Amino acid sequence: MKNALIFANWKSNKSKNEAKKWFEEVGHSDFPDNLKVVIFPPFTLLDILSGYIKVNSLPFKLGAQDISPFDRGAYTGEISASQIKEFAEFVLIGHSERRTNFGESDEVVRNKVDKAIEAGLIPVVCISNLDQIRGLGEEKVIFAYEPIGSIGTGNPEDPALVDKIAGQIKEKTNREVIYGGSVNADNIKKYLSLENISGSLIGGASLDPSSFKNVLKNAV
Ligand code: PGA
């Protein structure tokens, strides 16, 4: 059985109480060591969840959903990579929702990747086409291939096409590639078994504790 990355993107969801309940339910799920499970909660929950994971020795890591393209300083509203590093090891960069709703350009994405790497975070760079890998291959990043039409739509991309595109990304960059877009407990295994895919980025199906527990169960 190959190692797999299971990344849960909570997006702009969950209060403190909801997050604690989620962890109470999912926290002690038994899953084998070959799954690396990383939760990407909103910024507001990183502190409390990192404490909770430590105190309860849970087998989860944390990531942020975004970082500032600048260093710390006079950038009202931004959170810098070094601030994130206190609580998390990973960071999502360039999610299509940020590119679309917040006008994030490839240049901004590149700046964020640089800041993440300087701070010792592992950037998970979300891309929806091959052009978006330009200038990013050298760094220690993980690519999340997420076709826009598959995100949150219940229409996951054809696995053969995902494998083909992931193969092209790997060929150009030599980096690991995960797939995201309407992945759930029913289809996770199909994507994890693809030759060029190292894991999955899961949005909707990660929110409900029992649905995420089923994802973990079916992933192995
Ligand atoms: P989804 O989201 O699983 O709800 O399609 C994936 C993502 O946006 O990363």
Side-chain angles (χ1 to χ4, degrees):
M1 201 191 315
K2 72 176 181 186
N3 292 334
L5 306 167
I6 305 287
F7 290 175
N9 177 9
W10 285 0
K11 308 191 180 183
S12 200
N13 290 293
K14 293 201 191 296
S15 65
K16 244 169 23 176
N17 278 344
E18 287 165 344
K20 275 189 91 176
K21 266 201 203 122
W22 189 99
F23 267 88
E24 276 158 19
E25 249 193 79
V26 180
H28 296 286
S29 309
D30 239 357
F31 53 86
D33 288 353
N34 68 307
L35 292 187
K36 184 184 259 185
V37 184
V38 185
I39 315 299
F40 294 79
F43 293 128
T44 49
L45 299 173
L46 283 172
D47 187 7
I48 186 168
L49 292 181
S50 70
Y52 190 86
I53 288 170
K54 248 180 237 142
V55 167
N56 294 286
S57 308
L58 298 178
F60 296 99
K61 305 215 173 284
L62 288 178
Q65 294 175 18
D66 189 26
I67 46 164
S68 171
F70 302 104
D71 289 323
R72 69 168 63 195
Y75 301 102
T76 302
E78 289 295 305
I79 300 182
S80 68
S82 59
Q83 289 174 300
I84 295 296
K85 187 67 170 84
E86 286 194 279
F87 308 106
E89 290 174 47
F90 294 79
V91 60
L92 292 181
I93 296 179
H95 191 282
S96 69
E97 287 154 12
R98 296 215 56 84
R99 294 180 193 256
T100 306
N101 299 321
F102 303 96
E104 224 165 79
S105 65
D106 289 349
E107 191 191 342
V108 169
V109 168
R110 260 196 310 276
N111 290 340
K112 290 185 176 188
V113 169
D114 289 345
K115 295 299 168 204
I117 288 171
E118 272 166 41
L121 293 165
I122 299 174
V124 181
V125 182
C126 303
I127 58 169
S128 56
N129 61 62
L130 284 169
D131 287 346
Q132 290 172 338
I133 62 178
R134 220 178 301 137
L136 289 172
E138 301 302 306
E139 298 94 346
K140 189 177 181 288
V141 307
I142 296 168
F143 286 105
Y145 172 57
E146 300 205 300
I148 290 176
S150 295
I151 297 176
T153 58
N155 289 318
E157 185 59 277
D158 171 40
L161 185 57
V162 168
D163 202 32
K164 184 174 157 206
I165 292 173
Q168 291 168 340
I169 298 168
K170 275 174 85 171
E171 209 178 281
K172 285 180 195 288
T173 64
N174 210 20
R175 310 302 334 164
E176 283 192 300
V177 183
I178 63 174
Y179 168 72
S182 299
V183 173
N184 57 36
D186 295 332
N187 60 24
I188 181 83
K189 196 142 199 161
K190 201 161 51 181
Y191 289 101
L192 294 187
S193 64
L194 298 173
E195 190 188 337
N196 294 304
I197 286 294
S198 304
S200 185
L201 179 56
I202 300 162
S206 72
L207 291 176
D208 175 63
S210 55
S211 112
F212 192 65
K213 266 166 51 175
N214 285 333
V215 168
L216 295 178
K217 196 169 92 198
N218 293 355
V220 292

